[in-house]
Amino acid sequence: MTSTGDGDFVFHFGGHTPRLKIPLSKPTTVFTEDCFSGKLTSSDGRPREVAPYPKVNPLTGPIHVEGVKAGDVVAIHLLALEPARDWGVATISPDFGLLSGTRGSPNLQPLQDERVWIWRFGPDRRTLVTQAANGGALSVPYRPFHGTLGVAPAHGEVRLGVVPGDFGGNLDIPDLGPGATLYLRANLDGAHVYIGDGHYAQGDGEIAGTAVEGAFHTTFACGRLAATDDFDWPRLETDTHIGVIGSARPVDDACRIAVAGLVRWVMTITGLPLMDAHQLVSQACRLRIGNLVNPSFTVLCSIDKGLLGVSTLNDGIHDRLRALGRAGHASG
């Protein structure tokens, strides 16, 4: 397995020479830094001083995937996310977060104070614990995932690392954890994969503006699918569900992108007429808000694969990539 190293990061998607080349279906391990570049280490730290905008959300990459051509769909499967530290960090900052006024949505309320929480793993390594202002403790489950995973945008465009879109990016979808496969259209040969923004925990919406941000040693493998006319926005597959991710403002437009994309995907998979696929998704889907704080909001619309009446999806690529992790675990 290969590592890109721990000090070589970029802060936007697109416009870079690949820093690593990997073959299809080869498990690869990289180090990803937290959104503050590992510089916010104590509760009295100053987030906007140690990681001034736009030097937030450092990304590992780009990673060139051999055998992937522009127009193909690259399948990025997360095999394992191992915490690189025994702590993560979360913040609340003025003019940021769902419950704050912002430049694009101002109000006349007083600014929130800036505050930092250092979350540490409990003895069971399944929970994270931090100190509350009243002397008590806060505890949440450890739920690892990557907030940011994407490819170089289309048409040579360069996008900041905090932005989500049809290229993936800063999605903040908690389903994007170990065992998940993210499908993205490659906009150039090799796709140029970027990964970062590890989260040890996050509620839906990332409403305070950050998750419990943490560094990972992440193992992943990539596959390739031929381009299809109906592929537009990022798609997600787990062992139990498939879904489509939409990014837009307002949030209802992100919902429309995700739901319409899933309806069309279900129609293709099942052979159902459009209106029947619409009815099935309407009665069985789950809508999950990834974030309500980024330049665009993200929503995942997903459905249980067991309702689709088929045994294989996407030529079985998710299962084949998933098996790489099982084989590695067995041999280890």
Side-chain angles (χ1 to χ4, degrees), residues 42-43 88-92 115-119 130-133 138:
S42 67
S43 58
V89 58
T91 67
I92 286 179
R115 186 168 171 199
V116 177
W117 290 259
I118 301 297
W119 291 82
T130 193
Q131 192 77 24
L138 309 177

Side-chain angles (χ1 to χ4, degrees), residues 180-290:
T181 302
L182 184 67
Y183 299 96
L184 301 167
R185 185 184 295 278
N187 297 303
L188 43 72
D189 292 350
H192 290 200
V193 174
Y194 298 79
I195 185 169
D197 191 26
H199 292 174
Y200 291 175
Q202 181 207 292
D204 290 357
E206 200 181 29
I207 58 176
T210 70
V212 178
E213 310 285 341
F216 281 119
H217 296 287
T218 296
T219 303
F220 69 99
C222 293
R224 172 194 167 276
L225 292 171
T228 58
D229 291 339
D230 67 337
F231 191 99
D232 193 8
W233 289 84
R235 293 178 177 179
L236 185 70
E237 182 174 1
T238 68
D239 288 349
T240 59
H241 288 73
I242 62 167
V244 174
I245 301 169
S247 298
R249 281 201 185 202
V251 70
D252 48 329
D253 282 348
C255 290
R256 289 188 184 97
I257 291 168
V259 175
L262 184 61
V263 168
R264 293 191 175 95
W265 193 12
V266 167
M267 181 177 66
T268 299
I269 290 168
T270 63
L272 288 169
L274 176 63
M275 291 186 69
D276 289 300
H278 186 182
Q279 176 65 196
L280 178 61
V281 169
S282 178
Q283 303 306 335
C285 77
R286 180 184 69 177
L287 286 175
R288 183 165 214 177
I289 297 173

Side-chain angles (χ1 to χ4, degrees), residues 304-329:
D304 191 318
K305 293 194 290 190
L307 298 173
L308 304 181
V310 295
S311 57
T312 302
L313 300 172
N314 293 327
D315 295 327
I317 195 168
H318 168 81
D319 296 329
R320 293 197 301 274
L321 293 172
R322 187 83 159 99
L324 296 174
R326 296 191 180 106
H329 180 76

